[in-house]
Coordinates of all heavy atoms in Angstrom, one line a residue:
M1 N 9.2 -6.7 -5.9 CA 8.2 -7.1 -5.1 C 6.9 -7.1 -5.9 O 6.7 -6.3 -6.8 CB 7.9 -5.9 -4.0 CG 7.0 -6.4 -3.0 SD 7.2 -5.3 -1.5 CE 5.6 -4.4 -1.6
R2 N 6.1 -8.1 -5.7 CA 4.9 -8.3 -6.4 C 3.8 -7.3 -6.1 O 3.6 -6.9 -5.0 CB 4.3 -9.7 -6.2 CG 3.2 -10.1 -7.0 CD 2.7 -11.5 -6.7 NE 1.3 -11.6 -7.0 CZ 0.4 -12.0 -6.3 NH1 0.7 -12.4 -5.1 NH2 -0.8 -12.0 -6.6
K3 N 3.1 -6.7 -7.2 CA 2.1 -5.8 -7.0 C 0.8 -6.4 -6.5 O 0.4 -7.5 -7.0 CB 1.9 -5.1 -8.4 CG 0.9 -4.0 -8.3 CD 0.8 -3.2 -9.6 CE -0.2 -2.2 -9.7 NZ -1.0 -1.7 -8.7
S4 N 0.2 -5.8 -5.6 CA -1.1 -6.3 -5.0 C -2.2 -6.2 -6.0 O -2.2 -5.4 -6.9 CB -1.5 -5.4 -3.7 OG -2.7 -5.8 -3.3
R5 N -3.1 -7.2 -5.9 CA -4.2 -7.1 -6.9 C -5.3 -6.2 -6.4 O -6.3 -5.9 -7.1 CB -4.8 -8.5 -6.9 CG -5.5 -9.1 -5.8 CD -6.1 -10.4 -6.0 NE -6.8 -10.8 -4.9 CZ -7.6 -11.9 -4.8 NH1 -7.6 -12.7 -5.8 NH2 -8.3 -12.2 -3.7
F6 N -5.1 -5.6 -5.2 CA -6.0 -4.6 -4.7 C -5.4 -3.2 -4.8 O -4.2 -3.0 -4.4 CB -6.4 -4.9 -3.2 CG -7.1 -6.2 -3.0 CD1 -6.3 -7.3 -2.4 CD2 -8.4 -6.4 -3.4 CE1 -7.0 -8.5 -2.3 CE2 -9.0 -7.6 -3.2 CZ -8.3 -8.7 -2.8
S7 N -6.1 -2.2 -5.1 CA -5.6 -0.8 -5.0 C -5.7 -0.3 -3.6 O -6.2 -0.9 -2.7 CB -6.6 0.1 -5.9 OG -7.7 0.2 -5.4
E8 N -5.0 0.8 -3.4 CA -5.0 1.4 -2.1 C -6.4 1.7 -1.6 O -6.7 1.5 -0.4 CB -4.1 2.7 -2.0 CG -2.7 2.4 -2.0 CD -2.0 2.5 -3.4 OE1 -2.8 2.8 -4.3 OE2 -0.8 2.4 -3.5
A9 N -7.2 2.2 -2.6 CA -8.6 2.5 -2.2 C -9.4 1.4 -1.8 O -10.1 1.4 -0.8 CB -9.2 3.2 -3.4
Q10 N -9.1 0.2 -2.4 CA -9.9 -1.0 -2.0 C -9.4 -1.5 -0.6 O -10.2 -2.0 0.2 CB -9.7 -2.1 -3.1 CG -10.3 -1.9 -4.3 CD -9.9 -2.8 -5.4 OE1 -8.8 -3.3 -5.5 NE2 -10.8 -3.3 -6.2
I11 N -8.1 -1.4 -0.4 CA -7.6 -1.9 0.9 C -8.1 -1.0 2.0 O -8.5 -1.5 3.1 CB -6.0 -1.9 0.8 CG1 -5.5 -2.9 -0.1 CG2 -5.4 -2.0 2.2 CD1 -4.1 -2.8 -0.4
I12 N -8.1 0.4 1.8 CA -8.7 1.2 2.8 C -10.2 1.0 3.0 O -10.6 1.0 4.1 CB -8.4 2.6 2.5 CG1 -6.8 2.8 2.6 CG2 -9.1 3.6 3.3 CD1 -6.3 4.2 2.0
G13 N -10.9 0.7 2.0 CA -12.3 0.4 2.1 C -12.5 -0.9 2.9 O -13.4 -0.9 3.8
M14 N -11.7 -1.9 2.8 CA -11.7 -3.2 3.5 C -11.6 -2.8 5.0 O -12.2 -3.4 5.9 CB -10.7 -4.2 3.1 CG -11.1 -4.8 1.7 SD -9.8 -6.1 1.3 CE -9.1 -5.4 -0.1
I15 N -10.5 -2.1 5.4 CA -10.1 -1.7 6.7 C -11.3 -0.9 7.3 O -11.7 -1.1 8.4 CB -8.8 -0.9 6.8 CG1 -7.7 -1.9 6.3 CG2 -8.6 -0.4 8.1 CD1 -6.4 -1.1 6.0
K16 N -11.9 0.0 6.5 CA -13.0 0.7 7.1 C -14.3 -0.1 7.4 O -15.0 0.1 8.4 CB -13.4 1.9 6.2 CG -12.3 2.9 6.1 CD -12.8 4.2 5.5 CE -11.8 5.3 5.5 NZ -11.4 5.7 6.8
E17 N -14.5 -1.2 6.5 CA -15.6 -2.1 6.8 C -15.3 -2.8 8.1 O -16.3 -3.0 8.9 CB -15.6 -3.2 5.6 CG -16.2 -2.7 4.4 CD -16.2 -3.7 3.3 OE1 -15.9 -4.9 3.6 OE2 -16.5 -3.5 2.1
Q18 N -14.1 -3.3 8.3 CA -13.8 -4.0 9.5 C -13.9 -3.0 10.8 O -14.5 -3.5 11.9 CB -12.3 -4.6 9.5 CG -12.1 -5.5 10.6 CD -11.1 -5.0 11.6 OE1 -10.6 -3.8 11.6 NE2 -11.0 -5.7 12.7
E19 N -13.5 -1.8 10.6 CA -13.6 -0.9 11.7 C -15.0 -0.5 12.0 O -15.4 -0.1 13.1 CB -12.8 0.4 11.4 CG -11.3 0.2 11.5 CD -10.4 1.3 11.0 OE1 -11.0 2.3 10.4 OE2 -9.2 1.2 11.2
A20 N -15.9 -0.6 11.0 CA -17.3 -0.2 11.2 C -18.1 -1.3 11.9 O -19.3 -1.0 12.3 CB -17.9 0.0 9.8
G21 N -17.4 -2.4 12.2 CA -18.2 -3.4 12.9 C -18.2 -4.8 12.3 O -18.6 -5.8 12.9
M22 N -17.9 -4.9 11.0 CA -17.9 -6.2 10.3 C -16.8 -7.1 10.9 O -15.7 -6.5 11.0 CB -17.8 -6.0 8.8 CG -18.0 -7.1 8.0 SD -18.0 -6.7 6.1 CE -19.4 -7.4 5.6
S23 N -17.0 -8.3 11.1 CA -15.9 -9.1 11.5 C -14.8 -9.4 10.5 O -15.1 -9.3 9.3 CB -16.5 -10.6 12.0 OG -16.8 -11.3 10.9
T24 N -13.6 -9.6 11.0 CA -12.5 -9.7 10.1 C -12.8 -10.9 9.2 O -12.4 -10.8 8.0 CB -11.2 -9.8 10.9 OG1 -11.0 -8.8 11.8 CG2 -9.9 -9.9 10.1
A25 N -13.2 -12.0 9.7 CA -13.4 -13.1 8.9 C -14.4 -12.9 7.8 O -14.2 -13.3 6.6 CB -14.0 -14.3 9.7
D26 N -15.5 -12.1 8.1 CA -16.4 -11.8 7.0 C -15.8 -10.9 5.9 O -16.2 -11.0 4.7 CB -17.7 -11.0 7.6 CG -18.5 -12.0 8.5 OD1 -18.4 -13.4 8.3 OD2 -19.3 -11.5 9.3
V27 N -15.0 -9.9 6.4 CA -14.4 -9.0 5.4 C -13.4 -9.8 4.5 O -13.5 -9.7 3.2 CB -13.6 -7.9 6.1 CG1 -12.8 -7.1 5.1 CG2 -14.6 -7.0 6.9
C28 N -12.7 -10.7 5.1 CA -11.8 -11.6 4.3 C -12.5 -12.4 3.3 O -12.1 -12.6 2.2 CB -10.9 -12.3 5.3 SG -9.8 -11.3 6.2
R29 N -13.6 -13.1 3.8 CA -14.4 -14.0 3.0 C -15.0 -13.1 1.8 O -15.0 -13.6 0.7 CB -15.4 -14.6 3.8 CG -16.1 -15.8 3.1 CD -17.0 -16.6 4.0 NE -16.6 -16.8 5.3 CZ -17.0 -16.3 6.5 NH1 -17.9 -15.4 6.5 NH2 -16.5 -16.5 7.6
K30 N -15.4 -12.0 2.1 CA -16.2 -11.2 1.0 C -15.2 -10.7 -0.1 O -15.5 -10.7 -1.2 CB -16.7 -9.9 1.7 CG -17.4 -8.9 0.8 CD -17.9 -7.7 1.6 CE -18.4 -6.7 0.6 NZ -18.9 -5.5 1.3
H31 N -13.9 -10.4 0.3 CA -13.0 -9.9 -0.6 C -11.9 -11.0 -1.1 O -11.2 -10.7 -1.9 CB -12.2 -8.7 -0.1 CG -13.1 -7.6 0.2 ND1 -13.6 -6.7 -0.7 CD2 -13.6 -7.1 1.4 CE1 -14.4 -5.9 -0.2 NE2 -14.4 -6.0 1.1
G32 N -12.0 -12.1 -0.6 CA -11.2 -13.2 -1.0 C -9.7 -13.2 -0.6 O -8.9 -13.3 -1.5
L33 N -9.5 -12.8 0.6 CA -8.1 -12.8 1.0 C -8.0 -13.4 2.5 O -9.0 -13.6 3.1 CB -7.5 -11.3 1.1 CG -8.1 -10.4 2.1 CD1 -7.1 -9.4 2.4 CD2 -9.3 -9.6 1.5
S34 N -6.7 -13.8 2.8 CA -6.6 -14.4 4.1 C -6.5 -13.4 5.2 O -6.3 -12.2 4.9 CB -5.3 -15.2 4.1 OG -4.2 -14.3 4.0
Q35 N -6.7 -13.9 6.5 CA -6.7 -12.9 7.6 C -5.2 -12.3 7.7 O -5.1 -11.2 8.1 CB -7.2 -13.6 8.8 CG -8.6 -13.8 8.9 CD -9.2 -14.3 10.1 OE1 -8.5 -14.3 11.1 NE2 -10.4 -14.7 10.2
G36 N -4.3 -13.2 7.5 CA -2.9 -12.6 7.6 C -2.6 -11.5 6.6 O -2.0 -10.5 7.0
T37 N -3.1 -11.7 5.4 CA -3.0 -10.6 4.5 C -3.7 -9.3 4.9 O -3.3 -8.3 4.7 CB -3.4 -11.0 3.1 OG1 -2.8 -12.2 2.7 CG2 -3.4 -10.0 1.9
F38 N -5.0 -9.6 5.4 CA -5.7 -8.4 5.9 C -5.0 -7.7 7.0 O -4.9 -6.4 6.9 CB -7.1 -8.8 6.4 CG -7.8 -7.7 7.0 CD1 -8.6 -6.9 6.2 CD2 -7.9 -7.5 8.4 CE1 -9.3 -5.8 6.8 CE2 -8.6 -6.5 8.9 CZ -9.3 -5.6 8.1
Y39 N -4.4 -8.4 7.9 CA -3.7 -7.6 9.0 C -2.5 -7.0 8.5 O -2.0 -6.0 9.0 CB -3.4 -8.6 10.1 CG -4.7 -8.8 11.0 CD1 -5.2 -10.2 11.0 CD2 -5.3 -7.9 11.6 CE1 -6.3 -10.4 11.7 CE2 -6.5 -8.1 12.3 CZ -7.0 -9.4 12.4 OH -8.2 -9.5 13.1
K40 N -1.7 -7.6 7.4 CA -0.6 -6.9 6.8 C -1.1 -5.7 6.2 O -0.4 -4.6 6.4 CB 0.0 -7.9 5.8 CG 1.3 -7.2 5.1 CD 1.9 -8.1 4.1 CE 1.0 -8.0 2.8 NZ 1.6 -8.5 1.7
F41 N -2.2 -5.7 5.5 CA -2.7 -4.4 4.9 C -3.1 -3.4 5.9 O -2.8 -2.2 5.8 CB -3.9 -4.7 4.0 CG -3.7 -5.4 2.7 CD1 -4.7 -6.1 2.1 CD2 -2.5 -5.4 2.1 CE1 -4.5 -6.7 0.9 CE2 -2.3 -6.0 0.8 CZ -3.3 -6.6 0.2
K42 N -3.6 -3.8 7.0 CA -4.0 -2.9 8.0 C -2.8 -2.3 8.7 O -2.9 -1.2 9.0 CB -4.9 -3.7 9.1 CG -5.5 -2.8 10.1 CD -6.5 -3.6 11.0 CE -7.1 -2.6 12.0 NZ -8.1 -3.2 12.8
S43 N -1.7 -3.1 8.8 CA -0.5 -2.4 9.5 C 0.1 -1.4 8.5 O 0.7 -0.4 9.0 CB 0.5 -3.5 9.8 OG 1.1 -4.1 8.7
Q44 N 0.0 -1.6 7.2 CA 0.5 -0.7 6.3 C -0.4 0.5 6.0 O 0.1 1.7 5.9 CB 0.8 -1.3 4.9 CG 1.8 -2.5 4.9 CD 1.9 -3.3 3.7 OE1 1.0 -3.1 2.8 NE2 2.9 -4.1 3.5
C45 N -1.7 0.3 6.0 CA -2.6 1.4 5.5 C -3.6 1.8 6.6 O -4.4 2.5 6.4 CB -3.4 0.9 4.3 SG -2.3 0.6 2.8
G46 N -3.5 1.2 7.8 CA -4.4 1.5 8.8 C -4.4 3.0 9.2 O -3.3 3.6 9.4
G47 N -5.6 3.6 9.3 CA -5.6 5.0 9.8 C -5.4 6.0 8.6 O -5.5 7.2 8.8
M48 N -5.2 5.5 7.4 CA -5.1 6.3 6.2 C -6.4 6.6 5.5 O -7.3 5.8 5.6 CB -4.0 5.7 5.1 CG -2.7 5.6 5.7 SD -1.7 4.8 4.4 CE -0.6 6.1 3.9
E49 N -6.4 7.7 4.8 CA -7.5 8.0 3.9 C -7.0 7.7 2.5 O -5.8 7.6 2.3 CB -8.0 9.4 4.1 CG -8.6 9.7 5.4 CD -9.9 9.1 5.6 OE1 -10.7 8.8 4.6 OE2 -10.2 8.6 6.7
V50 N -7.9 7.7 1.5 CA -7.4 7.4 0.1 C -6.5 8.5 -0.3 O -5.4 8.2 -1.0 CB -8.7 7.3 -0.8 CG1 -8.2 7.1 -2.2 CG2 -9.6 6.1 -0.3
S51 N -6.7 9.8 0.1 CA -5.8 10.8 -0.4 C -4.4 10.7 0.2 O -3.4 11.0 -0.4 CB -6.5 12.2 0.0 OG -6.6 12.3 1.4
D52 N -4.4 10.2 1.5 CA -3.1 10.0 2.2 C -2.3 9.0 1.4 O -1.1 9.0 1.3 CB -3.3 9.7 3.7 CG -4.0 10.7 4.5 OD1 -3.9 11.9 4.1 OD2 -4.6 10.3 5.4
A53 N -3.0 8.0 1.0 CA -2.2 6.8 0.4 C -1.8 7.3 -1.0 O -0.6 7.0 -1.5 CB -3.2 5.7 0.1
A54 N -2.5 8.2 -1.7 CA -2.1 8.7 -3.0 C -0.8 9.6 -2.8 O 0.1 9.5 -3.5 CB -3.2 9.5 -3.7
K55 N -0.8 10.4 -1.7 CA 0.3 11.3 -1.4 C 1.6 10.4 -1.1 O 2.7 10.7 -1.5 CB 0.0 12.2 -0.3 CG -0.9 13.3 -0.6 CD -1.3 14.1 0.6 CE -2.4 15.1 0.4 NZ -2.9 15.7 1.6
L56 N 1.3 9.3 -0.4 CA 2.4 8.6 0.1 C 3.0 7.9 -1.2 O 4.3 7.8 -1.3 CB 2.0 7.3 1.1 CG 3.0 6.4 1.5 CD1 4.1 7.1 2.3 CD2 2.4 5.4 2.3
R57 N 2.2 7.3 -2.1 CA 2.7 6.8 -3.3 C 3.5 7.8 -4.2 O 4.6 7.5 -4.7 CB 1.6 6.2 -4.2 CG 2.2 5.6 -5.5 CD 1.1 4.8 -6.2 NE 0.7 3.6 -5.5 CZ 1.2 2.4 -5.6 NH1 2.2 2.2 -6.4 NH2 0.7 1.4 -4.8
A58 N 3.0 9.0 -4.2 CA 3.7 10.0 -5.0 C 5.1 10.3 -4.4 O 6.1 10.5 -5.0 CB 2.9 11.3 -5.1
V59 N 5.2 10.5 -3.1 CA 6.4 10.8 -2.5 C 7.3 9.6 -2.6 O 8.6 9.9 -2.8 CB 6.2 11.1 -0.9 CG1 7.5 11.1 -0.1 CG2 5.4 12.4 -0.8
T60 N 6.8 8.4 -2.5 CA 7.7 7.2 -2.7 C 8.3 7.2 -4.1 O 9.4 6.8 -4.3 CB 6.9 5.9 -2.4 OG1 6.4 6.0 -1.0 CG2 7.8 4.7 -2.4
D61 N 7.5 7.4 -5.1 CA 8.0 7.4 -6.5 C 8.9 8.5 -6.7 O 9.9 8.3 -7.3 CB 6.7 7.6 -7.4 CG 5.7 6.4 -7.5 OD1 6.2 5.3 -7.0 OD2 4.7 6.5 -8.0
E62 N 8.7 9.7 -6.2 CA 9.6 10.8 -6.3 C 11.0 10.4 -5.6 O 12.0 10.7 -6.2 CB 9.1 12.1 -5.7 CG 10.0 13.2 -5.9 CD 9.4 14.5 -5.3 OE1 8.3 14.5 -4.7 OE2 10.2 15.5 -5.5
N63 N 10.9 9.8 -4.5 CA 12.1 9.5 -3.7 C 13.0 8.4 -4.5 O 14.2 8.5 -4.7 CB 11.8 8.9 -2.4 CG 12.9 8.7 -1.5 OD1 14.0 9.4 -1.6 ND2 12.9 7.8 -0.5
A64 N 12.2 7.4 -5.2 CA 13.0 6.5 -6.0 C 13.6 7.1 -7.2 O 14.7 6.7 -7.6 CB 12.0 5.4 -6.4
K65 N 12.9 8.0 -7.8 CA 13.5 8.7 -8.9 C 14.8 9.5 -8.5 O 15.8 9.5 -9.2 CB 12.5 9.7 -9.5 CG 13.0 10.4 -10.9 CD 12.0 11.4 -11.3 CE 10.5 10.9 -11.5 NZ 9.6 11.9 -12.0
L66 N 14.7 10.2 -7.4 CA 15.8 10.9 -6.9 C 17.0 10.1 -6.6 O 18.1 10.4 -6.8 CB 15.5 11.8 -5.7 CG 14.5 13.0 -6.0 CD1 14.0 13.6 -4.7 CD2 15.1 13.9 -6.9
K67 N 16.7 8.9 -6.0 CA 17.8 8.0 -5.7 C 18.5 7.5 -7.0 O 19.7 7.3 -7.0 CB 17.3 6.8 -4.9 CG 16.9 7.1 -3.5 CD 16.5 5.8 -2.7 CE 16.2 6.1 -1.4 NZ 15.8 4.9 -0.6
R68 N 17.7 7.2 -8.0 CA 18.3 6.8 -9.3 C 19.2 7.9 -9.9 O 20.2 7.7 -10.4 CB 17.1 6.4 -10.3 CG 16.7 5.0 -10.2 CD 15.9 4.5 -11.3 NE 14.6 5.3 -11.5 CZ 13.5 5.2 -10.8 NH1 13.4 4.1 -10.0 NH2 12.4 5.9 -11.0
L69 N 18.7 9.1 -9.8 CA 19.4 10.3 -10.3 C 20.7 10.4 -9.6 O 21.8 10.6 -10.2 CB 18.6 11.5 -10.2 CG 17.6 11.8 -11.2 CD1 16.7 13.0 -10.9 CD2 18.2 12.0 -12.6
L70 N 20.8 10.3 -8.3 CA 21.9 10.4 -7.4 C 23.0 9.2 -7.9 O 24.1 9.5 -8.0 CB 21.6 10.3 -6.0 CG 22.8 10.3 -5.0 CD1 23.5 11.6 -5.1 CD2 22.3 10.1 -3.6
A71 N 22.4 8.0 -8.0 CA 23.3 6.9 -8.3 C 23.9 7.1 -9.6 O 25.1 6.8 -9.9 CB 22.4 5.6 -8.3
D72 N 23.1 7.6 -10.7 CA 23.6 7.8 -12.0 C 24.7 8.9 -12.0 O 25.8 8.8 -12.6 CB 22.6 8.3 -13.0 CG 21.7 7.1 -13.3 OD1 22.0 5.9 -13.1 OD2 20.5 7.4 -13.8
T73 N 24.4 10.0 -11.2 CA 25.4 11.0 -11.0 C 26.7 10.6 -10.4 O 27.9 10.9 -10.8 CB 24.9 12.3 -10.2 OG1 23.6 12.7 -10.8 CG2 25.9 13.4 -10.1
M74 N 26.6 9.8 -9.4 CA 27.8 9.2 -8.7 C 28.6 8.3 -9.6 O 29.8 8.3 -9.5 CB 27.4 8.5 -7.4 CG 26.9 9.5 -6.3 SD 26.4 8.6 -4.8 CE 28.0 8.3 -4.2
L75 N 27.9 7.5 -10.5 CA 28.5 6.6 -11.4 C 29.3 7.4 -12.5 O 30.4 7.1 -12.9 CB 27.6 5.7 -12.1 CG 27.2 4.5 -11.1 CD1 26.1 3.8 -11.9 CD2 28.3 3.7 -10.8
T76 N 28.7 8.5 -13.0 CA 29.4 9.3 -14.0 C 30.6 10.1 -13.5 O 31.5 10.4 -14.2 CB 28.4 10.1 -14.8 OG1 27.7 11.0 -13.8 CG2 27.3 9.3 -15.5
T77 N 30.5 10.6 -12.3 CA 31.5 11.4 -11.7 C 32.7 10.5 -11.3 O 33.8 11.0 -11.4 CB 31.1 12.3 -10.6 OG1 30.5 11.4 -9.5 CG2 30.1 13.3 -11.0
S78 N 32.5 9.3 -10.9 CA 33.6 8.5 -10.4 C 34.4 7.8 -11.6 O 35.5 7.4 -11.4 CB 33.1 7.4 -9.6 OG 32.2 6.5 -10.2
S79 N 33.8 7.9 -12.8 CA 34.5 7.2 -14.0 C 35.5 8.0 -14.5 O 35.6 9.1 -14.5 CB 33.4 6.9 -15.1 OG 32.5 6.0 -14.5

């Protein structure tokens, strides 16, 4: 999957701008993204704080590492 050009902090900042009363079109124009992308970001990160997003990324990375370890273990024991 392609990495976003925006960090989680930037995405959360954009969502907060829109929630503070700025129109969605203005937020999108200011940051150079489409409204569809904005709403996708909002569905993924809406209601989060920057610290929550960092925790989510850490848990996701740890989960991926554990899945790789399990797969490696299963491959070596079955051989």
Side-chain angles (χ1 to χ4, degrees):
M1 189 164 110
R2 189 174 150 235
K3 183 173 173 9
S4 174
R5 69 179 186 172
F6 299 105
S7 69
E8 284 98 358
Q10 291 173 320
I11 293 169
I12 292 170
M14 287 183 244
I15 293 168
K16 289 195 181 294
E17 285 179 10
Q18 191 254 352
E19 289 173 349
M22 189 179 228
S23 74
T24 304
D26 290 340
V27 172
C28 293
R29 195 173 313 113
K30 177 181 174 184
H31 296 285
L33 69 151
S34 71
Q35 289 188 9
T37 302
F38 176 81
Y39 285 116
K40 182 182 79 165
F41 286 159
K42 189 171 181 178
S43 72
Q44 292 173 350
C45 299
M48 292 177 117
E49 295 294 327
V50 176
S51 61
D52 296 335
K55 289 177 190 175
L56 178 64
R57 178 169 297 265
V59 169
T60 304
D61 291 344
E62 183 180 1
N63 192 24
K65 187 187 302 182
L66 291 172
K67 284 182 179 182
R68 277 193 299 274
L69 284 171
L70 178 64
D72 289 344
T73 305
M74 291 178 77
L75 284 174
T76 56
T77 57
S78 66
S79 298

